[in-house]
Structure formats: structure tokens, C-alpha cells
């Protein structure tokens, strides 16, 4: 019935202050603001073009271009990836050749694989590209740099001479990413003034002299680092959206279990449903909190870079790359699991889940393929370990590697299931697992004469070690979050339950790592799982309130299954009747194609 809250009985069970939990979830940034930007981003791509100009352009160039971009007087596309190269930025083929006679760069796509391919907004709407191309001076290749290139007339939007642009076509399903005009672009000797090479980091003089950057060349990758830390926050939003839908629906849906006319069982009360759903609920909160930490770490990096302090740049790269990889994989897989948790109705477009999945899953690829990103983390870990011998004391997220010797001797002292509720017990186990996996890789690497050959040969193990490292970061940041002052009745307690679920679910999922590195015994693994089951029972009465705390409107969720009032069935039915197929009783084509078959006489019992 309209106006009735079918989930009121669930909300009345809450054992904590939901208003405070909403504030904890919203944190320092408005979730709507960023996620809406993500949604708008699917339609346009100013979110990279502008940061890239800030990161790579001189003050003078920023003064010229930023006002135009900010006021949408020009529409930019971050045009880096090509048909033949995306992950390998140093492999890009587009060239920008300096012509001293005219003080210009000539941009050209020398091969088909040099065609720019995928950049958002490029296909139909962008008027300008921040094109990444190999800088060539006097036949010498100085590597990939950024160039501002006008693509279309600002009068009639027609493409300019030497520019061939197109959309790359439909993408995955009918998802909203098809509102994004990811495009292709070929340059045929397009000339731009020299001052349209972004010259904050390195310059080309009028005489054609290359002035190399006096800062780490990787700062030219700064926009990717910026977006990756944003993507971690978006992962928490996308996953929490799916968890909200599937949790509310799990409380509404009843299936089996009726005795003597009693109501059937709510599927949220099945232990299998809880074992699938509650770790995702905990993961949404875990990712939200690690994104908060990562954002503050990134802001600290920016301040340091202003002061030419590059000391945390390697760690910032490793953390943004690794956490982008882990959190987008968890969110993408989690959204699909939430669809399955809703049974058949989860497959309906009106559930909101297929669309959310179709829009979200490329996050595992864009801004750095997730495996390629974890390999970057692995390189960082191996380098950190290699420097231990020279007395280099790791700090920050790799500080535990400074205690590697001690961690190699670690054995968990868990005796009872409730021992696994102690944050220090959990952190020690995760540190030991990560340290032993990385140390084992480093040891195996040392057996190879050529370190690069070793790295390739061991890359699958290295990815697992990098994963363990990133999961340790997320667990640690969740624990640190709860060491802050958090007011409100029962709020910190509930977050403590979610923190333990997140950690013990990972321990259970990766029990092979913990056993094979001899960090815990099978019995201790069993106790962790025992504790996990008990924790699910503690979350159960608070589940609806915990997803209410995401504070998403029905409009934002756009899901019949995830409605705040739980009034699912009438709305499912109502929504179905909006489908154009139901405008007529007899479907188009029936008379032409189906009816003749039905009317066909039977011949000897055969049609
Ligand atoms: C505001 C946005 C809101 C949210 C938006 C969400 C929606 C977004 C939707 C769509 C946008 C998608 C846009 C894109 O996809 S843009 C294109 C993205 N492309 C990539 O991410 C390419 C990935 N590849 C790379 O980043 C690099 O090629 C690489 C894999 C890192 C390798 O680079 P390279 O070969 O130069 O470097 P090496 O591996 O040899 O390493 C050399 C040393 O450099 C260090 N390094 C590498 N990268 C960085 C970095 N970014 N920062 C700092 N340091 C870096 C590396 O660690 C090595 O260091 P060492 O000490 O070992 O020498
Ligand atoms: C929706 C969407 C939007 C995008 N928007 C933009 C944009 O606005 N601007 C832009 O420039 N680009 C954009 N891209 C492109 C995107 O950045 C690239 O697709 C991404 O960086 C992955 O690179 P790739 O396609 O070359 O993958 P590849 O690297 O070719 O990946 C293919 C496989 O090879 C594996 N692999 C690659 N290298 C290694 C290695 N060294 N070791 C082990 N395995 C390896 C990968 O793990 C993967 O399994 C977008 C892509 C998508 C899907």
C-alpha cells in the first residue's frame, strides 16, 4: 500500500543512531556530489581534461585555457589511449614533431594502431584534446608529452583539417556508458603552435632545445593518480548502492519456511544470504573509509609536491594504483553478487542492478587495468624489500616490511573465536601474511640472473602479494577510523562489527594464503569462521538501518527492489506495465509471421 513503510519493523530493530551513521558515511565529502559527477562523467569527460591542464600546463597556459574549460567554452578530452596501446603509455605512437621554421608541432598518427581510441567525449562533443604524443625534435624521440589540440570549429563544430574523428561504437550491453561518446581520432599532420605543448614539467625552446623536467618524469602521470584516488571513493558509492538495493529486497523477499500458515522466511535470515551479503555491506564501509584516508594522503602529496618534496610520490602511486585495483574489483564483483542475491527480479532493469553493473564494470579497466596496477604495487614492494639490506627503514603503508624478520617468526596466538575480534590480532595476521608473501617473492626473484625475467615469471605470485598488501591497508584504515571519536549510541559498536566482518571475511576467503605462509593454524582459521557467523547474527537486526545510513533517495537508487518503503511487488508490476510491449495485446508481427504458422494445416501429424 502507498505510504506504508513495509520495512518499519526492520528499522525498529536498529541498535544504533542512524543519523550519526549517516554523518560518518558522508564523511568530509558529499557522496552525492562526487557520484553525480561520476554519473555526469559517463556523459562527458571534463573531469580529466581540467586536472590534466592543472598538472601539466604552465601558469601562463593555465591562465589561457582553464577559464575556457571551466566555463565550457571549450570541451576537452583526455586523449591518451590508442588502438594499439593503453596500459603501456610509453608505447604510444602518435607523434608531435617540432618544426623550427614555423615554431609549431606537427601532430601525426603514423600507423593505424596510433589512432587515439577510447577517450571519453572525443567521439562527438569534444572541441579540444589533451593529446599525448611522442615529442620528436631533429629526429630524436623525447617520449610522451601532452599537447593541446583543437579538434573542431567553435563556430560550426565541424572537424578541422587533418582531423578524422569518430565514435568507437556501442559498448557492453545497453548500459549508460553508451551515452559516453568514447571516440577515435587520427591526426594527419596537424599543426599547433609551440606554446600548445604543456610545458610545466619540460619545455621546448624557440630554438628547438629540449629542456628536461627537473622533477620526476612520472609527474606527467599525475592526472591518472588523481583520478585513481577518486575512483576508490566511487567504488564505495557504487557498491553501497547495490548493497542498499539487495539488503532492502532481502528483507522484503520471503521464500519457504512457512509452518501452519505462518509467513514464509525472509531470505535475509538465511545464513547463506548473510554470508554473501554482509561482507559486501562491510566492504562498502571499508572502501569508504580507505578512500577518505587516500584522499587525505593525496592532498598531503600535493602539498609536498608544491614544496618539491617527492618523498611520498612512489607510495602515493602504489597506493592509488593498488587501491584503485582492489576496490573496483570488489565493487564490480559485488554489484554482480547483489544482482544474484535478488534472484530473478535482480535481472530486471527496474531493479537498477543491471544498469549499475553495466556502467560500473569498466572501472576495472579504465584508469589502469587492475592487474597492471597491481604489478606496479608489486614493483614498489620488491624495491622496498631490496632496500632493507641498505638499512632503508620503510615508513607509511610499508612500515610493516621493516619488521619482516619479526613477522617471519609470527604465529597467531588466537585460542578462542572472540580473540579474532581484537584489532591488533587481526592486523598482525594480515601483516604477517603480506610480509611473508612479498618476502617469498623477493627470495624467488633473487634466483633469477635477470630481475625482469624473474618479475615476468613470478608476476602471478607478485599480484597476489600486492593484493595482500592492499587488503592490509584497507583493514588497517578501517581500524584507524574506529580509533577516532565517533559519537552516537551504538555507532562505533556497529562499525566495529563491520570492521571484523570485513577482516575475517577476507581471512576466510584467502585462508590458503594464511595457512600456506604458516601465519595461522587450521584450527585458528576455523575459529575465525565461527566468529564470522556470530558477527552476521549481530549485523542482522541492524542491516536495514546500516544501508539507510547511505542516505540514498529512491530516485538516486532508481530501483524498485531497493525502495525505502519496501513496497516492491505492486511497484514491480506497475513498472512492468510501463514497458511499450504492453501497449498492445497482440504483439507487432504476430499476424505477419506467427499467425500463418498457427494456421498451417497439419500434414500426417507433422507441421
Ligand atoms: C575526477 C574523476 C572522478 C571519478 C572518475 C570515474 C570515472 C572515470 C571514467 C573514465 C575515465 C577513464 C580515463 C582513462 O582511462 S585515461 C587513460 C588511463 N590510462 C592508464 O591508466 C594507463 C596505465 N599505465 C600507466 O599508468 C603506465 O604506463 C605504467 C603502467 C605506470 C607504466 O609506466 P612507465 O612504463 O612509464 O613506468 P614503469 O613501470 O617503467 O615505472 C618506472 C617508475 O615510475 C614509477 N611510476 C609509474 N607510474 C607512476 C605514477 N603515476 N606516479 C609516480 N610514479 C610512477 C614506477 O613506480 C617506477 O618507479 P621506480 O622507482 O621503480 O623506478
Ligand atoms: C569505459 C572506458 C573509458 C575510457 N576512457 C578513456 C579516456 O577518457 N581516455 C583515455 O586515454 N583512455 C580511456 N580508456 C582506455 C583505458 O584507459 C585503457 O583501456 C586501460 O588503460 C587499459 O589499457 P588497454 O586497453 O591497453 O589494456 P591492455 O593492457 O591491452 O590489457 C589487456 C590484458 O593484458 C594484460 N596486460 C597488459 N600488460 C600487462 C603486463 N605488463 N603484465 C601482465 N599483464 C598485462 C592486462 O592485465 C589485460 O588482462 C577508457 C577505457 C574504457 C573501457
Amino acid at each position: 500500500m502507498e505510504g506504508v513503510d513495509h520495512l518499519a519493523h526492520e528499522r525498529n530493530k536498529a541498535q544504533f543512531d542512524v543519523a550519526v551513521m549517516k554523518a560518518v558515511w558522508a564523511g568530509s565529502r558529499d557522496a552525492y556530489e562526487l557520484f553525480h559527477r561520476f554519473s555526469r562523467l559517463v556523459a562527458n569527460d571534463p573531469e580529466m581534461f581540467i586536472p590534466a591542464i592543472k598538472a601539466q600546463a604552465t601558469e601562463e597556459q593555465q591562465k589561457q585555457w582553464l577559464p575556457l574549460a571551466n566555463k565550457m567554452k571549450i570541451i576537452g578530452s583526455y586523449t591518451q589511449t590508442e588502438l594499439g596501446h593503453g596500459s603501456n603509455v610509453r608505447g604510444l605512437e602518435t607523434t608531435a614533431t617540432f618544426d623550427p621554421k614555423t615554431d609549431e608541432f606537427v601532430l601525426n598518427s603514423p600507423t593505424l594502431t596510433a589512432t587515439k581510441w577510447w577517450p571519453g567525449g572525443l567521439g562527438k562533443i569534444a572541441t579540444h584534446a589533451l593529446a599525448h604524443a611522442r615529442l620528436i625534435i631533429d629526429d630524436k624521440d623525447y617520449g610522451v608529452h601532452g599537447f593541446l589540440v583543437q579538434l573542431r570549429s567553435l563556430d560550426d563544430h565541424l572537424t578541422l583539417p587533418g582531423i578524422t574523428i569518430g565514435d568507437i561504437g556501442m559498448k557492453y550491453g545497453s548500459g549508460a556508458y553508451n551515452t559516453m561518446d568514447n571516440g577515435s581520432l587520427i591526426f594527419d599532420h596537424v599543426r599547433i603552435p609551440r606554446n600548445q605543448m604543456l610545458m610545466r614539467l619540460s619545455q621546448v625552446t624557440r630554438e628547438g632545445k629540449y629542456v628536461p623536467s627537473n622533477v620526476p618524469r612520472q609527474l606527467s602521470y599525475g592526472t591518472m593518480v588523481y583520478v585513481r584516488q577518486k575512483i576508490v571513493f566511487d567504488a564505495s558509492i557504487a557498491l553501497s548502492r547495490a548493497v542498499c538495493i539487495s539488503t532492502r529486497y532481502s528483507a522484503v523477499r520471503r521464500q519457504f519456511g512457512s509452518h501452519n500458515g505462518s509467513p514464509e522466511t525472509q531470505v535475509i535470515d538465511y545464513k547463506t544470504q548473510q554470508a554473501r551479503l554482509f561482507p559486501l555491506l562491510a566492504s562498502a564501509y571499508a572502501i569508504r573509509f580507505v578512500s577518505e584516508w587516500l584522499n587525505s594522503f593525496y592532498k598531503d602529496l600535493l602539498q609536498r609536491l608544491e614544496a618539491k618534496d617527492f618523498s611520498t610520490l612512489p607510495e602515493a602511486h602504489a597506493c592509488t594504483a593498488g587501491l584503485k585495483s582492489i576496490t573496483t574489483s570488489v565493487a564490480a564483483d559485488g554489484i554482480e553478487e547483489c544482482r544474484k542475491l535478488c534472484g530473478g527480479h535482480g535481472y530486471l532493469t527496474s531493479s537498477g542492478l543491471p544498469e549499475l553493473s553495466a556502467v560500473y564494470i569498466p572501472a576495472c579497466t579504465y584508469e589502469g587495468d587492475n592487474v597492471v596496477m597491481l604489478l606496479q604495487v608489486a614493483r614498489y614492494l620488491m624495491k622496498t624489500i631490496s632496500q632493507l639490506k641498505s638499512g632503508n627503514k620503510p615508513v607509511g603503508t610499508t612500515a610493516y616490511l621493516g619488521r619482516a624478520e619479526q613477522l617471519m617468526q609470527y604465529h597467531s596466538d588466537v585460542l578462542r573465536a572472540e580473540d579474532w575480534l581484537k584489532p591488533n590480532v587481526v592486523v598482525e595476521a594480515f601483516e604477517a601474511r603480506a610480509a611473508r608473501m612479498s618476502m617469498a617473492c623477493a627470495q624467488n626473484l633473487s634466483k633469477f640472473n635477470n630481475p625482469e625475467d624473474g618479475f615476468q615469471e613470478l608476476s602471478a605470485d607478485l599480484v597476489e602479494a600486492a593484493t595482500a598488501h592492499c587488503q592490509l591497508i584497507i583493514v588497517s584504515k578501517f581500524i584507524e577510523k574506529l580509533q577516532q571519536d565517533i559519537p552516537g549510541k551504538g555507532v562505533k559498536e556497529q562499525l566495529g562489527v563491520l570492521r571484523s566482518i570485513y577482516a575475517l571475511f577476507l581471512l576466510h576467503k584467502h585462508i590458503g594464503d594464511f595457512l600456506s605462509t604458516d601465519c595461522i593454524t587450521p584450527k585458528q582459521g576455523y575459529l575465525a569462521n565461527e566468529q564470522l557467523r556470530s558477527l552476521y547474527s549481530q549485523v542482522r537486526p541492524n542491516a536495514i538501518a546500516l544501508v539507510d545510513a547511505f542516505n540514498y533517495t529512491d530516485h538516486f537508487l532508481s530501483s524498485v527492489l531497493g525502495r525505502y518503503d519496501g513496497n516492491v511487488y505492486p511497484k514491480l508490476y506497475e513498472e512492468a506495465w510501463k514497458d511499450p510491449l504492453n501497449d498492445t495485446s497482440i504483439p507487432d508481427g504476430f499476424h505477419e509471421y506467427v499467425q500463418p504458422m498457427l494456421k498451417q494445416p497439419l500434414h500426417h501429424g507433422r507441421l
Side-chain angles (χ1 to χ4, degrees), residues 34 37-38 41-42 45 47-48 51 78 80-81 86-90 120 177 180 182 217-222 224-228 230-231 234 313-314 316-318 320 365-369 372-373 376 379-380 383:
L34 202 63
R37 201 166 80 205
F38 168 64
L41 196 74
V42 170
D45 200 15
E47 298 287 352
M48 291 196 66
Y78 184 85
Q80 177 176 295
T81 302
S87 290
N88 180 9
V89 175
R90 282 200 282 176
Y177 233 107
M180 165 69 92
N182 299 91
R217 74 169 174 85
Q218 290 81 6
L219 284 182
S220 64
Y221 294 164
M224 294 186 277
V225 174
Y226 162 73
V227 173
R228 285 169 193 153
K230 293 281 189 184
I231 286 175
D234 280 338
L313 181 60
H317 168 49
T320 49
T365 304
Y366 59 57
E367 217 56 69
D369 165 85
V372 171
M373 292 295 101
Q376 286 292 307
R379 283 187 187 282
Y380 175 67
K383 184 170 186 177

Side-chain angles (χ1 to χ4, degrees), residues 45-114:
D45 200 15
E47 298 287 352
M48 291 196 66
F49 181 73
I50 291 169
I53 291 177
K54 290 176 181 171
Q56 299 181 40
T58 63
E59 291 305 319
E60 190 182 335
Q61 289 173 321
Q62 291 188 44
K63 284 197 184 83
Q64 177 187 354
W65 294 101
L66 283 182
L68 298 172
N70 284 322
K71 294 193 180 87
M72 297 285 273
K73 298 297 178 204
I74 64 172
I75 299 172
S77 171
Y78 184 85
T79 303
Q80 177 176 295
T81 302
E82 295 172 355
L83 203 52
H85 293 91
S87 290
N88 180 9
V89 175
R90 282 200 282 176
L92 295 176
E93 297 177 81
T94 301
T95 57
T97 306
F98 182 61
D99 180 350
K101 289 192 293 299
T102 61
D103 197 25
E104 293 172 318
F105 290 105
V106 180
L107 276 100
N108 192 47
S109 307
T111 61
L112 174 66
T113 47

Side-chain angles (χ1 to χ4, degrees), residues 376-421:
Q376 286 292 307
V377 178
R379 283 187 187 282
Y380 175 67
L381 293 172
M382 293 304 105
K383 184 170 186 177
T384 302
I385 290 172
S386 71
Q387 293 171 342
L388 289 175
K389 300 184 196 83
S390 56
N392 186 53
K393 193 167 171 35
V395 294
T397 50
T398 55
Y400 70 98
L401 290 174
R403 292 182 278 108
E405 289 311 313
Q406 172 196 340
L407 289 170
M408 299 307 278
Q409 308 308 318
Y410 162 87
H411 290 290
S412 172
D413 53 8
V414 161
L415 295 171
R416 303 161 304 150
E418 50 271 35
D419 290 343
W420 281 118
L421 297 177

Side-chain angles (χ1 to χ4, degrees), residues 283-302:
S283 297
Y285 277 88
I287 295 172
R288 181 76 189 83
F289 297 147
V290 79
S291 77
E292 250 182 10
W293 167 79
L294 188 61
N295 181 253
S296 62
F297 184 45
Y298 178 75
K299 285 176 180 168
D300 174 74
L301 168 75
L302 293 182

Side-chain angles (χ1 to χ4, degrees), residues 134-204:
R134 316 196 68 82
L135 170 61
I136 310 287
I137 305 174
D138 294 337
D139 293 328
K140 183 175 178 188
D141 182 341
Y142 289 89
V144 174
H145 290 71
F147 299 85
L148 258 173
V149 190
Q150 183 167 349
L151 307 172
R152 292 173 178 272
S153 156
L154 294 180
D155 298 324
D156 57 19
H157 204 59
L158 291 175
T159 52
L160 297 176
I163 302 264
T164 305
I165 289 180
D167 187 279
I168 64 171
M170 290 292 280
K171 295 164 283 268
Y172 193 88
S174 58
Y177 233 107
N178 287 302
T179 60
M180 165 69 92
D181 55 322
N182 299 91
S184 72
L185 160 62
I186 292 176
F187 291 114
D188 179 5
H189 299 89
V190 175
R191 289 179 172 271
I192 62 170
R194 176 169 57 86
N195 71 5
Q196 286 184 212
M197 169 181 156
L198 300 187
M199 295 203 202
R200 181 176 187 175
L201 303 177
S202 48
Q203 298 82 37
V204 175

Side-chain angles (χ1 to χ4, degrees), residues 337-379:
E337 188 63 20
C338 286
R339 180 192 67 78
K340 290 187 276 190
L341 282 160
C342 295
H345 304 338
Y347 193 63
L348 280 170
T349 299
S350 61
S351 76
L353 289 164
E355 177 72 3
L356 178 56
S357 179
V359 166
Y360 187 76
I361 54 176
C364 298
T365 304
Y366 59 57
E367 217 56 69
D369 165 85
N370 279 358
V371 167
V372 171
M373 292 295 101
L374 285 173
L375 288 167
Q376 286 292 307
V377 178
R379 283 187 187 282

